[in-house]
Amino acid sequence: LKKRLKENVHSQEKKSSFTQVLSEFEVSTNTDEAIRNALSRDIEMLTKTIENISFEKVTQTCQAIIASRQTYIIGLGYIGAVAGYLQSILRSHLPQIHAVTEYNGMLFDYMGHFGKGDVVLAIGFDQCQNQTIKALKKARDKGATTIALTDSEYSPLCAYSKYNLFVHPAPNYFLSPLIGAFSICNALK
């Protein structure tokens, strides 16, 4: 019994997010059903994001970005895709937009430039990167307007942000916050 229990625990530890996604296809009776379920889950998540988003906070975020001296968008790791996307759609109108997506010294270089009149928008979900949290705290301490784009009011980013923008994540779906985050980016443009 102990041996079987150890094997079961060990096999569960090995389950990656990718394995979880693949298991959805195995549970479904066919590929069409799996695709339909995935898209339906995304629609539901977006609907709940729309129902819960503060339109006032979105407007305030837009106004802060437009009025900023510099805007820094921090999205580390896989969240860098969202930061890069937001930079690309805003930069055509506002040249003072910078996406910080690398773990290397780039983030710390930009942190030295944060100041009054700047906006720092940090993106983080679930277990947010410590570097992202520290950067947002530093920005707040230096007088920048701080914004968190996250999936929970309990996110550590909220402790250091003036404005919070929340996406509604779908449970047990690894990349779900990204879908809502990209949609909020579209709302900010």
Side-chain angles (χ1 to χ4, degrees):
L1 182 63
K2 282 184 179 180
K3 184 179 178 181
R4 291 176 96 190
L5 184 59
K6 278 184 180 181
E7 288 173 0
N8 190 21
V9 168
H10 185 66
S11 69
Q12 286 181 357
E13 288 175 358
K14 287 185 176 182
K15 280 190 175 180
S16 66
S17 299
F18 182 70
T19 306
Q20 290 174 334
V21 170
L22 285 180
S23 70
E24 289 183 27
F25 283 98
E26 293 170 3
V27 170
S28 300
T29 56
N30 63 42
T31 305
D32 292 352
E33 183 182 336
I35 293 168
R36 186 175 292 106
N37 289 342
L39 294 173
S40 295
R41 188 175 45 246
D42 290 348
I43 291 168
E44 179 184 349
M45 187 273 310
L46 286 172
T47 301
K48 288 183 178 179
T49 296
I50 291 167
E51 290 170 357
N52 296 321
I53 192 85
S54 166
F55 295 107
E56 179 183 0
K57 298 291 185 209
V58 172
T59 301
Q60 290 169 334
T61 296
C62 290
Q63 291 168 344
I65 291 171
I66 290 167
S68 72
R69 191 173 56 93
Q70 299 292 322
T71 295
Y72 302 94
I73 306 162
I74 303 170
L76 302 178
Y78 74 95
I79 298 169
V82 178
Y85 177 70
L86 183 56
Q87 177 194 25
S88 70
I89 62 175
L90 294 179
R91 196 160 185 146
S92 61
H93 307 292
L94 304 165
Q96 75 272 17
I97 307 292
H98 311 278
V100 184
T101 60
E102 301 294 326
Y103 289 102
N104 60 21
M106 175 198 254
L107 175 61
F108 298 103
D109 289 344
Y110 278 120
M111 285 171 63
H113 298 290
F114 295 165
K116 196 166 181 71
D118 292 338
V119 168
V120 177
L121 190 154
I123 307 168
F125 307 111
D126 195 26
Q127 295 179 354
C128 188
Q129 297 290 333
N130 280 333
Q131 293 95 330
T132 304
I133 299 164
K134 289 176 184 176
L136 196 64
K137 181 182 184 307
K138 178 77 138 182
R140 186 199 63 182
D141 293 347
K142 291 180 94 175
T145 299
T146 54
I147 302 162
L149 176 53
T150 188
D151 60 350
S152 171
E153 62 190 50
Y154 302 108
S155 167
L157 293 175
C158 294
Y160 306 110
S161 60
K162 181 175 182 178
Y163 305 121
N164 297 312
L165 303 173
F166 297 110
V167 300
H168 182 86
N172 302 323
Y173 185 39
F174 177 64
L175 297 175
S176 71
L178 296 183
I179 294 146
F182 280 116
S183 292
I184 289 176
C185 290
N186 286 333
L188 293 174
K189 68 176 180 174

